[in-house]
Amino acid sequence: MGLEAKLMSDGFLTTTIDALVGWARESSVWPMPMGISCCGIEMMAVAGPKYDIARFGSEVMRFTPRQCDVMLVAGTVTYKMSHVVKKIYDQMPDPKWVIAMGVCTSTGGMYRSYSVVQGIDHFLPVDIYLAGCPPRPDNLLNALMLIQDKIKNTKAREFQNIPLLEPVKVNGN
Amino acid sequence: MEKLTKDDVHPSIVKALLDQETNITFEDALENEMILNMGPQHPATHGVLRVLLRLDGETIVAAVPDLGYLHRGYEKMAENMSFYEFIPHTDRLDYISPPANNTAFCLAVEKLYGIEAPLRAQYIRMIMTELARITSHLVAVGSLAMDVGALTVFLWCLREREKVLNSYDIICGARFTTSYTRIGGVAADMPDEAIVIIKDFIAQFEEKLDEAERLLNTNRIFVERLEGVGVISGEEAINMGLTGPNLRGSGIDHDLRRANPYMLYDQMDFKVPVYNEGDSLARYFVRADELRESCKIILQCLDKMPKGEIMLNSPKKVLPRKTEIYTKMEELIHDFMIVNFGVKPPVGDIYSAVENPKGELGFYIVSKGEGHPWKMKIRSPSFCNLQSLGGLIKGHMISDVVAIIGSLDPVMGEADK
Amino acid sequence: MEIKDKIVPLLQEQFPETNFEVTDFRGDLKIKFDASLIVPVGNFLKQHDELKFNMCEDVTAVDWATKKKRFTIIYHIYSLENKFRLRLACDVEENHPHIESVVPVWKSANWYERETYDMYGIKFDNHPDLRRMYMPEEYEYYPLRKEYPLMGIPGDLTLPKK
């Protein structure tokens, strides 16, 4: 059997709650596939058999925002679409992360034109900017791993803006 | 689901939906007809298509597609850049078959310049176009199957598609958006390694395709969800301007590769599959058959492909080779002029159309004798095919909508431009 | 006699008083005529027994950025029987640009005309449903007109609040 068999009958591990929650969170990042254009096809390829996003616990592509942790904005966001993206982002439960996949999502890229938003950070907080037009699927996996690192190292209180307790000062030396 | 209010839908769209007298209201949905918003973020609308449905119970009374969520202003951008600069943009038109778009654009510009690519380049272009057709139809068949509930086929189709993308990777260094063709030829020669990969792929593809078809063609759910759904007659299909597999699914034997042969398609031996039913299932069958025909064309091209030049030798019109730019003064000057100011074509306007996987992709270019087009219109097949959507889904159930959209196989990058 | 040589004489016979300006560049036949005749000419080309231009492939416009005859409306029509493509062109003026809609002739022109309206602001008279195609309904400008800048006019399209 596994680790538990090696332990004595009522074995235990010590850890912090944050580490445990972070570990649980990072290994089941459910993406919200916001496939808008070309990058959406590469996102499909990541879900496909060759790159297999399931290895990272993210194969559960949920098309409803209510069940998602990370939004993959894959493709050119136009002004008309930006309202939709924002609406979907707002519906995702906290804590949530955003990957801007591809240059046209990150900066407008090759689309210097009247209808394209020059970077989704004009209206969304973005965690990872992913280069490439479109990025190769391996690159998206890399972004996912970076997000996992970020999730792992984030303390739970940071999501809720609770300040750290003041350390108790011992008076009188 | 959030309640749709009147503010969410623009009054003119509502007006288009309510083209006849009805007792529709937004608030009290159960008592009346109802308006349902589908998309633009919906897994089965193939991108960012938005369809507003007017429902009576679950039956669709009227449907109005709303486009423009991926309108990137291609035609405006094309007016502000040289012909060379626009080649990478054509990749992102129909982003499931980039090499086919590259070829279509380069053929249009070559028609304007009055030049023709060398023989080997034309064969390479044909091979790439047909590979693109394979990838496109694989995604089309796979996602159609996924839309009606068969996820396995989707994964199998993606697996086969990856094999084609591997060969792109070796031929031009990019696995997806290739930007492979140049005006007057192709960017790089096709290495022997790639030819081996393509041959290997085709050798095993037939069997894999049979396997996938066995899952679909004998699957009662798949067949019954598509048969007789979204029927369009041949005459109506012509009236609505359908092209490509959607037109051939309605019994019209029209393929630009046959009708107005370009490149070397007149020397190729292939069938144009035509089905007469005009329903979603027929459109699926056309695509499945075209996969096999494409393999046949590729094999013939590989057999006939001669050795030789891949870029036209026409210094004032075609970019010189990099090795020559670094060693010869004249080539350096030509390269500088072409890259900075573009090649000056004669004054006039041309329209060049090719048979893309989705249908007829045409470029209408107006030139005023400058290095950039005065006007460029992209006649995209998905846009025209989508036009029939409103009529096709009328009278069907909500669940049929995804099947019909899947069988029309629109790509929004191309439809919205 | 090829189809290409037949079209113009047939048209001239049917419309004797009209001036048909014919250009043939790189094998593309283009016929330019008065804008008021687009529907009768279209009907004739579609219903003629030999020509049968039954498919309208594209409708677009060209902005020449000139004072007179600023826009040219371009129609690409295709004859499935003859496997031949024809281009029709009609000039319209800058001030209230409008032309009769060809939707009664070719149904598929519906969306193409909407797109042209969206991009150039050309009104198609008697169009069944003339709305914007791509840009939001309340948008004020016509992006493909030459005076419209590539990057748009600041503030013409809204972004959601951060």
Side-chain angles (χ1 to χ4, degrees), chain B residues 10 12-13 64 67-68 71 75-76 79-80 111-114 236 238-242 254 259-260 346 349-351 353 360 364 366 368 374-375 377 379 383-384 387 415-417, chain C residues 25-26 28 30 46 54-55 57-64 74 76 78 80 83 85 87 107-108 110-112 115 119-120 129 131 133-135 137-138 143-146 148 150:
Chain B
H10 194 272
S12 68
I13 299 177
V64 173
L67 280 80
H71 176 63
E75 289 167 9
K76 189 81 181 174
E79 288 169 14
N80 289 284
K111 186 175 175 184
L112 179 65
Y113 286 169
E236 184 65 13
I238 295 172
N239 281 339
M240 293 311 287
L242 289 188
H254 173 63
N260 307 98
D349 51 348
I350 59 111
Y351 179 86
E360 177 186 333
Y364 172 60
V366 179
K368 270 193 160 185
W374 179 259
K375 147 106 194 153
K377 162 82 192 190
R379 190 263 183 215
F383 178 67
C384 310
Q387 192 171 179
D416 285 352
K417 283 179 277 211
Chain C
F25 179 69
R26 306 268 192 240
D28 287 11
K30 174 176 162 187
K46 188 186 177 187
N54 47 3
M55 190 189 254
E57 290 191 317
D58 196 14
V59 177
T60 185
V62 184
D63 181 357
W64 297 105
I74 304 280
H76 283 103
Y78 190 79
L80 283 173
K83 303 181 165 72
R85 188 176 290 110
R87 183 180 311 142
K107 229 172 154 184
S108 59
N110 188 332
W111 277 23
Y112 313 148
E115 189 194 347
M119 293 289 134
Y120 288 96
D129 177 26
R131 285 182 290 128
M133 189 81 238
Y134 294 138
M135 305 307 285
E137 290 288 337
E138 52 278 347
L144 274 183
R145 287 194 177 186
K146 286 284 174 187
Y148 186 83
L150 172 65

Side-chain angles (χ1 to χ4, degrees), chain A residues 7-168:
Chain A
L7 299 167
M8 307 316 264
S9 53
D10 45 356
F12 62 90
L13 281 169
T14 53
T15 179
T16 57
I17 296 287
D18 271 342
L20 182 70
V21 171
W23 170 77
R25 265 195 187 127
E26 70 147 349
S27 17
S28 62
V29 184
W30 288 9
M32 160 79 218
M34 188 82 209
I36 300 171
S37 63
C38 336
C39 294
I41 306 296
E42 287 299 68
M43 202 166 63
M44 271 159 58
V46 173
K50 187 175 173 188
Y51 293 95
D52 196 10
I53 203 172
R55 293 177 292 158
F56 300 88
S58 298
E59 79 277 22
V60 198
M61 299 252 180
R62 283 286 176 250
F63 288 94
T64 157
R66 320 262 153 123
Q67 302 172 355
C68 299
D69 306 306
V70 56
M71 181 151 85
L72 289 169
V73 186
T76 322
V77 179
T78 59
Y79 282 93
K80 202 173 173 183
M81 191 70 198
S82 63
H83 299 272
V84 181
V85 176
K86 178 74 175 159
K87 201 169 187 175
I88 288 173
Y89 176 78
D90 288 344
Q91 289 178 37
M92 283 167 56
D94 277 327
K96 52 192 171 187
W97 295 268
V98 175
I99 296 179
M101 181 179 178
V103 277
C104 48
T105 321
S106 311
T107 66
M110 63 203 286
Y111 298 108
R112 300 278 299 162
S113 81
Y114 54 90
S115 56
V116 177
V117 181
Q118 304 292 310
I120 59 166
D121 45 9
H122 284 292
F123 61 93
L124 273 188
V126 179
D127 293 282
I128 302 270
Y129 297 92
L130 195 49
C133 188
R136 293 179 73 97
D138 346 26
N139 210 348
L140 180 58
L141 291 180
N142 183 29
L144 193 69
M145 284 156 74
L146 287 172
I147 281 276
Q148 287 183 340
D149 268 358
K150 187 169 180 173
I151 294 172
K152 195 162 94 185
N153 296 327
T154 313
K155 301 260 186 295
R157 71 173 95 254
E158 285 171 28
F159 302 127
Q160 291 152 10
N161 296 324
I162 303 173
L164 277 172
L165 286 176
E166 288 284 317
V168 183

Side-chain angles (χ1 to χ4, degrees), chain B residues 249-270:
Chain B
S250 296
I252 309 292
D253 187 359
H254 173 63
D255 188 323
L256 283 174
R257 291 175 293 175
R258 269 286 156 72
N260 307 98
Y262 50 96
M263 295 198 282
L264 300 159
Y265 277 113
D266 44 350
Q267 299 171 18
M268 294 292 139
D269 169 37
F270 65 99

Side-chain angles (χ1 to χ4, degrees), chain A residues 49-51, chain B residues 131 134-135 138 156-171 175 194 197-205 207-209 211:
Chain A
K50 187 175 173 188
Y51 293 95
Chain B
L131 283 176
I134 290 176
T135 55
L138 277 174
W156 287 6
C157 286
L158 274 188
R159 182 192 64 201
E160 295 305 308
R161 180 174 171 270
E162 286 295 334
K163 292 174 189 164
V164 182
L165 295 189
N166 280 348
S167 70
Y168 286 1
D169 220 343
I170 290 167
I171 294 167
R175 59 170 246 122
I197 289 188
I198 294 172
K199 277 188 173 158
D200 283 354
F201 165 72
I202 291 177
Q204 54 89 47
F205 183 58
E207 189 193 331
K208 295 277 159 54
L209 193 60
E211 207 175 16

Side-chain angles (χ1 to χ4, degrees), chain B residues 360-372:
Chain B
E360 177 186 333
L361 176 68
F363 287 93
Y364 172 60
I365 302 175
V366 179
S367 143
K368 270 193 160 185
E370 291 157 332
H372 54 86

Side-chain angles (χ1 to χ4, degrees), chain C residues 2 21 24 29 32 40 44 46 68 72 74-76 78 81 85 101 111 116 126 137 146 151 153 161:
Chain C
E2 268 193 49
E21 223 179 286
D24 188 350
L29 192 65
K32 199 170 186 179
F44 173 73
K46 188 186 177 187
K68 266 190 156 184
T72 305
I74 304 280
Y75 300 84
H76 283 103
Y78 190 79
E81 198 147 299
R85 188 176 290 110
S101 165
W111 277 23
T116 311
N126 300 326
E137 290 288 337
K146 286 284 174 187
M151 287 306 290
I153 292 156
K161 283 203 187 80

